Amino acid sequence: MPSLQIYTAYSPWYALLCLAAGIGVAWFMYRRGGPWPTGLRWFLASLRALLVTLVCFLLLEPYTRRIRQEEVKPKVVLALDNSQSVGLFTQKEDLTRTLQRVDALAERLREKGLEVVNQTFQAGDTAVTSLAQTPLNAPVTNLHALLEKGNQTYHNQNLAATVLISDGIHNQGPTPTFQMYDAPIYPLALGDTVAQRDVVLEEVQYNKINYTGTSFPVVARVRHNGFTGTNATILLQENGKTVQRKTVALPRSGTVQTSFQVTSGQTGKKHYQVVVQPLTAEFTTLNNRRHAYLEVIKGKLKILVAAAAPHPDIKALRSALLTNQLLEVEVVLGPFQNPSFKTPYDAAILHQIPHTSGMGTEWLRRLRAANVPSLYILGPQTDFNAFNALQAGVQLSRPSPQFDEVQPILNNTFRRFSTEPIAQARIRSWPPAAVTYGDWQIAPAAEVILQQQVGTVRTTKPLLVYKPAAPTPAAVLLTDGSWQWRLTEAVDHGSSQIYDELMTHLVQLLANRRNQKRLHVYPVKDEFETSEGVALQADVFNAVQEEIFGQTVSLTLTHGGGKQTRHTFRHEQGGEGLRLGNLPVGVYRYTASTRVENQPYTDTGEFIVQEQNLESLLAVADHRLLSQIAERSETRLYYPAQLAQLEQDLLKANFKTVLRSHQEEKDLLEQPWFYFLLLGLACTEWALRRFYGSL
């Protein structure tokens, strides 16, 4: 029952003064009598005394305190793993029967005073009234996210227990056996732990970036159970047509690997499928097919390395780039002659250019006129005023003759090229390098690859920056001491793999440039999963390559099968671009157009939507994982035939109802009912005086 109490900011004894004031005013007004009967006069005086008392009472700054108590019933969450594997590898009749019995169990628990809610991987799942009617279509299984979702949603709502209904197959996110949860977990095991006769295309390995004129492998790894000595046919298909075929004997070990050599003479994104032809009595063919999406780009990129003077960096960079046979490196040292540029460069590395002496200025001018993407390496001889004018992605205001000794730290949020898992630890062990002290400002479109660590303090200051924006991509390395990194890595680990890959990937990223253009439409990432929404962004530039806004962009999207859809969106500053939602697997190409200064401009591009297909890789339930979860929660693992025991254990746990109090304080001046009370007293007195005063 809610209770209402009134308090004052001052001593409540002052209320006696308010009462005295009310009585005094009433006595003064009604002391001489009047046309009213004696009883009515006393009643009118009482109304006036009460009204004045309440008005004076407001001077004590009164406030109300309302205490409301509520009972919070113990809450039991039925967390259903509605991933595809549950529906694929559990007998449909058994699964439907089990879920119907769980729904009936939920009703009986509600009758016993427990509050039962349903939960799945989808948003808004509490509206699902029947688990038996829930679609089993989640593309991945993240059991930790499913359990943590209940913790976050019902953390302060007397969460008593979670019943995890799952086959135990877990393929994304942290392993739930090592996590802590607010409530005990009662796992209910689905699926079958007996391995079925099956052939699984476990993995397809390939390089996502390949080059024209070269042969690259597509490696397929096949796992099987129960087909020892049987021959399996593996197909490599491009756009639905078989281009290669391999026959392999399935060994006793259960795993076999085969490789296809592919040569492509055309640039662009390619879509291959690797298919294992079904075998007789195979349990399922859903895991016999995987997709491979890769990009073929121009081979033999010509790279210029130009330096104002000899430096150890030049040897380190040249050696690193030559580890990639598709890079052709030309080194030019000052003093320079006028460049001829007989062969156009795909990218350039400019070491301390622009130089304080002006050396290399003509080379720099010609490179920028040709829109050659450049990596600028800064040092003590760099002309920072001239460098700032280049707008290469980072600027130094008020350069100082002093230097910071900083260590490189890999920025894990940079995703334009991948690094080895060992890269973070190796890069952290590279020796400090000198960076000019000052206020380094990063351009809005720039992305940080390496950050600075000063001593033991990791900062967000940049050390290696990449700027993808038009008109020409650029990168900046803020130190001329990177040669020490390669030397140290080679001494410590026997090879300079991480340094070499970092530099070659960066140069390749620069060399794969876009031409200067007024309209640039691009996907937020090159590859999307079927479970995530596809989004495109746009950049529109004026004649001097300044970004402008407010244009309407029309886009025609073409699927690999030739189906076209048309879309329009408005290019706004900070806008979300074009969101296409979830799309089927395949290669998509688009043509976009808009008008700038009454002139039409177009742009084209492509992106990939691929399917992880994780749910069909493992057709065996993992009840051991569920048992570990139960052991950590000090419960037990239940099977569909033990639902009655599960019900008894939940009721035997004797979950308690929580009595929760809510206290609310509010000034009396803010409450309308008090003003209506004052108005009612005043109006009642006035009406009675008016009516009886006319007698």
Side-chain angles (χ1 to χ4, degrees):
M1 291 290 294
S3 61
L4 180 66
Q5 300 171 342
I6 299 179
Y7 295 85
T8 59
Y10 302 96
S11 173
W13 291 104
Y14 288 120
L16 297 177
L17 296 178
C18 299
L19 180 60
I23 294 174
V25 171
W27 174 81
F28 180 79
M29 291 190 63
Y30 292 99
R31 71 185 188 281
R32 297 180 180 178
W36 313 285
T38 301
L40 180 60
R41 184 159 59 89
W42 279 100
F43 181 69
L44 292 174
S46 299
L47 291 177
R48 177 55 61 97
L50 182 58
L51 176 62
V52 174
T53 299
L54 293 177
V55 172
C56 293
F57 185 66
L58 293 176
L59 298 175
L60 303 183
E61 299 181 13
Y63 61 92
T64 61
R65 178 178 296 166
R66 184 184 299 272
I67 300 176
R68 179 171 52 87
Q69 293 182 338
E70 64 173 346
E71 292 184 349
V72 182
K73 294 182 179 180
K75 193 180 303 293
V76 176
V77 174
L78 301 181
L80 173 62
D81 169 11
N82 65 321
S83 60
Q84 296 172 358
S85 65
V86 173
L88 291 174
F89 306 124
T90 305
Q91 292 294 333
K92 185 175 180 181
E93 296 79 7
D94 295 340
L95 178 60
T96 302
R97 188 183 309 112
T98 299
L99 294 181
Q100 287 175 346
R101 293 178 61 196
V102 173
D103 286 332
L105 168 64
E107 290 300 323
R108 292 194 297 273
L109 292 177
R110 292 187 181 100
E111 293 173 358
K112 298 292 185 179
L114 298 177
E115 184 176 349
V116 183
V117 294
N118 297 330
Q119 181 173 287
T120 65
F121 289 117
Q122 274 69 35
D125 47 22
T126 53
V128 178
T129 57
S130 172
L131 294 180
Q133 303 298 324
T134 303
L136 305 173
N137 54 10
V140 296
T141 304
N142 188 338
L143 294 181
H144 169 67
L146 181 62
L147 296 171
E148 185 64 21
K149 184 178 180 181
N151 279 5
Q152 295 176 354
T153 305
Y154 307 111
H155 176 68
N156 295 319
Q157 301 183 34
N158 195 14
L159 177 60
T162 299
V163 178
L164 175 61
I165 309 165
S166 173
D167 56 7
I169 296 177
H170 176 80
N171 48 44
Q172 190 177 81
T175 304
T177 54
F178 300 104
Q179 309 301 318
M180 297 296 294
Y181 302 102
D182 294 343
I185 300 170
Y186 295 76
L188 177 62
L190 302 176
D192 193 346
T193 57
V194 178
Q196 304 287 340
R197 295 190 69 196
D198 194 22
V199 176
V200 180
L201 182 55
E202 193 171 57
E203 185 180 12
V204 174
Q205 300 175 343
Y206 56 94
N207 293 327
K208 292 188 176 182
I209 301 294
N210 300 279
Y211 300 91
T212 57
T214 62
S215 178
F216 50 88
V218 176
V219 180
R221 188 166 73 238
V222 178
R223 171 172 52 85
H224 78 93
N225 180 66
F227 289 98
T228 301
T230 305
N231 290 333
T233 301
I234 306 175
L235 309 178
L236 177 68
Q237 299 178 339
E238 182 179 8
N239 299 326
K241 298 181 180 179
T242 301
V243 295
Q244 293 187 40
R245 178 190 303 262
K246 292 286 184 71
T247 300
V248 297
L250 299 179
R252 182 181 298 273
S253 63
T255 302
V256 65
Q257 184 171 289
T258 187
S259 177
F260 300 94
Q261 289 297 128
V262 182
T263 302
S264 179
Q266 296 182 344
T267 60
K269 288 183 169 60
K270 307 295 181 181
H271 175 205
Y272 294 95
Q273 293 184 72
V274 180
V275 181
V276 180
Q277 289 190 330
L279 299 179
T280 304
E282 189 174 352
F283 175 66
T284 179
T285 60
L286 293 173
N287 45 27
N288 287 28
R289 179 186 302 267
R290 291 183 75 88
H291 299 268
Y293 297 94
L294 51 87
E295 185 173 5
V296 178
I297 62 176
K298 174 187 173 184
K300 278 296 181 182
L301 302 174
K302 188 171 179 61
I303 310 301
L304 169 68
V305 179
H311 193 280
D313 270 355
I314 307 305
K315 176 63 181 293
L317 290 167
R318 182 177 181 275
S319 299
L321 297 181
L322 289 179
T323 60
N324 190 323
Q325 61 180 353
L326 295 171
L327 299 180
E328 181 180 341
V329 183
E330 178 183 349
V331 177
V332 179
L333 301 177
F336 301 109
Q337 298 178 350
N338 290 333
S340 58
F341 289 178
K342 294 180 181 179
T343 302
Y345 296 107
D346 293 290
I349 300 177
L350 303 178
H351 193 275
Q352 301 200 69
I353 298 175
H355 198 268
T356 52
S357 67
M359 190 180 301
T361 302
E362 181 62 21
W363 279 74
L364 177 59
R365 187 189 66 79
R366 291 288 300 274
L367 289 169
R368 289 182 62 80
N371 289 331
V372 177
S374 300
L375 166 60
Y376 299 92
I377 299 179
L378 309 183
Q381 301 301 316
T382 300
D383 183 348
F384 284 100
N385 291 328
F387 170 75
N388 289 339
L390 300 177
Q391 298 183 355
V394 63
Q395 293 185 337
L396 176 61
S397 58
R398 300 185 300 277
S400 168
Q402 299 178 347
F403 294 87
D404 278 334
E405 292 289 333
V406 305
Q407 282 185 286
I409 299 294
L410 183 65
N411 180 14
N412 290 324
T413 62
F414 184 80
R415 290 288 185 268
R416 290 190 177 269
F417 55 75
S418 59
T419 55
E420 295 291 336
I422 60 175
Q424 182 67 268
R426 283 204 186 182
I427 291 176
R428 190 184 295 272
S429 67
W430 290 352
V435 175
T436 301
Y437 179 80
D439 183 16
W440 292 98
Q441 298 177 352
I442 306 175
E447 303 172 20
V448 178
I449 304 175
L450 296 180
Q451 296 172 325
Q452 300 182 19
Q453 177 170 307
V454 183
T456 59
V457 179
R458 178 170 182 170
T459 71
T460 58
K461 293 182 179 180
L463 183 56
L464 178 59
V465 176
Y466 170 70
K467 179 186 176 184
T472 306
V476 184
L477 179 60
L478 276 59
T479 179
D480 64 341
S482 70
W483 62 274
Q484 304 173 75
W485 300 344
R486 190 173 195 270
L487 182 62
T488 300
E489 187 179 1
V491 171
D492 293 345
H493 305 285
S495 72
S496 53
Q497 173 193 357
I498 301 302
Y499 177 89
D500 295 346
E501 288 184 353
L502 177 65
M503 293 304 168
T504 54
H505 287 168
L506 179 59
V507 168
Q508 288 175 304
L509 181 63
L510 289 170
N512 297 331
R513 59 187 177 129
R514 303 179 178 92
N515 295 325
Q516 180 175 345
K517 50 191 175 184
R518 304 285 289 276
L519 172 64
H520 176 208
V521 178
Y522 55 94
V524 296
K525 53 192 297 188
D526 292 332
E527 298 177 358
F528 299 90
E529 303 293 341
T530 53
S531 58
E532 61 183 333
V534 176
L536 302 176
Q537 287 283 0
D539 294 329
V540 183
F541 301 93
N542 60 16
V544 294
Q545 287 299 301
E546 294 176 336
E547 189 170 8
I548 55 178
F549 304 94
Q551 299 76 26
T552 298
V553 180
S554 300
L555 183 139
T556 300
L557 183 66
T558 305
H559 190 270
K563 181 180 178 180
Q564 290 187 341
T565 57
R566 290 175 172 79
H567 312 268
T568 60
F569 65 99
R570 190 167 179 82
H571 174 51
E572 299 286 0
Q573 187 171 11
E576 61 179 11
L578 175 62
R579 297 194 175 275
L580 297 170
N582 301 85
L583 297 177
V585 297
V587 178
Y588 292 81
R589 294 175 174 82
Y590 59 85
T591 301
S593 62
T594 191
R595 297 186 69 85
V596 181
E597 299 169 359
N598 292 326
Q599 294 294 325
Y601 293 93
T602 61
D603 188 26
T604 60
E606 54 189 5
F607 59 86
I608 291 170
V609 178
Q610 59 183 359
E611 187 173 15
Q612 289 180 313
N613 201 28
L614 296 177
E615 290 295 300
S616 61
L617 292 181
L618 191 62
V620 181
D622 189 359
H623 291 176
R624 183 169 175 270
L625 182 141
L626 298 176
S627 180
Q628 291 172 345
I629 295 175
E631 182 179 353
R632 191 174 181 87
S633 294
E634 298 182 352
T635 59
R636 54 166 290 186
L637 178 64
Y638 300 86
Y639 293 93
Q642 299 172 317
L643 280 175
Q645 182 63 47
L646 172 60
E647 180 180 357
Q648 292 179 12
D649 291 346
L650 288 173
L651 296 175
K652 190 185 302 181
N654 194 22
F655 301 124
K656 302 298 184 181
T657 298
V658 174
L659 186 63
R660 184 173 297 167
S661 297
H662 298 275
Q663 180 174 293
E664 179 185 12
E665 292 185 355
K666 193 174 183 181
D667 287 343
L668 198 60
L669 286 170
E670 298 176 359
Q671 303 187 46
W673 65 267
F674 187 76
Y675 293 98
F676 284 113
L677 175 60
L678 297 180
L679 182 62
L681 292 173
C683 291
T684 301
E685 182 188 3
W686 175 84
L688 292 174
R689 286 172 57 93
R690 178 82 177 184
F691 181 77
Y692 288 100
S694 62
L695 294 176

